[in-house]
Amino acid sequence: MLLEIPEILSPQQAADMKAALLQAEWVDGRVTAGHQSAQAKQNRQLPENSPVARELGDMILKALPANGLFMSAALPQRVFPPLFNRYEGGEHFNNHVDNAIRRLPTGGQIRTDLSCTVFLSEPEEYDGGELLIDDTYGAHSVKLPAGSMVLYPSTSLHRVTPVTRGSRVSSFFWIQSLVRDDGQRTLLFDLDMSINRLRQEVGDHDAIVAQTGVYHNLLRRWSEP
C-alpha cells in the first residue's frame, strides 16, 4: 500500500523545520546507506547525533500518534528516529531497496516494514526531486506539499530524481509494524476506513460493532508482539 497523508506537520511547522535545517551542518548522505545503496546515493544528510536532527525528529515523532490515518495505515510497533536529507545541484538517489534491518542509535534493531518521507520543501521551491516508487502497477511519482507524508512498503524499489533547481529538504524514517505483511495491513486499513465511514453515516449500529470485532480479531491473528 502506498498512501499519501496530508499535514502530518502544519505548513508553518514544516517551514520552521526547513529554515533550521538549512542552517545546520550537513554530511555525505552515504553515511547511512548500505553497500548497494551507497553506489546509487548522491545527497547530503544531517548526522544522526546532530542536536538539530534530534530536536526536529522528536517533533515528528510526537506528531505521528495524533494522526489517525497514519496510525491506521502503519500500525506502528517501533519507529526509527527520523533522519533528514537535502538534495540540490543535480543530487539524486538511483534505484534501490531500503535495508531490511536498521540498527537503532540507542541499541537494538528494527525491521523495516514501512518507509516514510515527510516533505519539508514546497513543490514549487524546487525542480525535479520526485520520489518514484514502483509496484505491480508501475512507477508512482510523489512530490507533496510541505508537511505531508508518503508511506510505502520498504520492499519497494524506489528512487529520487535529480534536483535541478532549488533545494529539496525532507525527513525520512522507517517503521516496524505490528503486522509484517503488507497485504494484511492493507486489508486492515481498508476495513478500518470502511467502519469509520459507516459510523459517520449511520452512527452506532450492531453491524458496525460486528465489523469492529472482525477487525480486532484479524489484528489479533496477524499481529506480532
Side-chain angles (χ1 to χ4, degrees):
M1 176 176 56
L2 187 157
L3 183 67
E4 297 177 6
I5 303 176
E7 292 195 6
I8 280 283
L9 304 171
S10 71
Q12 188 60 56
Q13 284 178 310
D16 290 344
M17 278 193 185
K18 181 187 175 187
L21 289 165
L22 290 178
Q23 301 301 315
E25 295 290 332
W26 296 82
V27 298
D28 191 320
R30 288 174 290 186
V31 295
T32 58
H35 174 73
Q36 182 177 5
S37 293
Q39 300 177 54
K41 191 175 188 180
Q42 186 180 47
N43 67 3
R44 281 167 291 165
Q45 190 169 306
L46 225 56
E48 290 186 40
N49 60 357
S50 161
V52 175
R54 290 179 178 177
E55 178 184 356
L56 300 184
D58 285 345
M59 291 175 61
I60 292 174
L61 290 176
K62 289 177 182 176
L64 296 178
N67 189 287
L69 193 59
F70 168 81
M71 295 299 290
S72 178
L75 295 172
Q77 183 182 54
R78 306 178 81 183
V79 181
F80 193 93
L83 302 173
F84 298 87
N85 59 18
R86 178 178 182 178
Y87 294 81
E88 57 191 16
E91 291 175 324
H92 60 278
F93 201 162
N94 290 331
N95 276 336
H96 65 285
V97 173
D98 291 338
N99 291 351
I101 304 294
R102 305 287 310 195
R103 300 249 173 227
L104 292 163
T106 54
Q109 57 192 21
I110 183 173
R111 185 186 67 240
T112 59
D113 297 322
L114 291 159
S115 299
C116 306
T117 296
V118 179
F119 290 79
L120 300 175
S121 299
E122 296 290 357
E124 63 270 16
E125 293 176 343
Y126 60 99
D127 292 336
E130 291 85 1
L131 174 61
L132 299 179
I133 304 166
D134 291 344
D135 65 12
T136 55
Y137 300 102
H140 302 270
S141 178
V142 183
K143 188 173 181 177
L144 301 180
S148 295
M149 165 196 280
V150 62
L151 182 70
Y152 59 97
S154 297
T155 53
S156 304
L157 186 70
H158 58 284
R159 55 207 172 273
V160 177
T161 65
V163 173
T164 57
R165 178 188 65 86
S167 182
R168 178 195 190 270
V169 180
S170 62
S171 175
F172 64 101
F173 52 98
W174 300 274
I175 294 166
Q176 180 171 318
S177 178
L178 288 166
V179 177
R180 180 196 300 244
D181 183 79
D182 180 60
Q184 292 172 345
R185 275 197 317 274
T186 300
L187 286 172
L188 287 168
F189 175 72
D190 289 344
L191 180 56
D192 192 28
M193 292 299 99
S194 176
I195 291 169
N196 288 336
R197 284 193 298 270
L198 284 172
R199 183 173 288 116
Q200 291 171 5
E201 292 174 5
V202 303
D204 289 331
H205 190 281
D206 288 347
I208 295 176
V209 174
Q211 285 195 356
T212 303
V214 171
Y215 173 88
H216 284 286
N217 286 332
L218 287 173
L219 180 58
R220 186 176 292 110
R221 176 182 290 268
W222 290 337
S223 62
E224 301 177 8

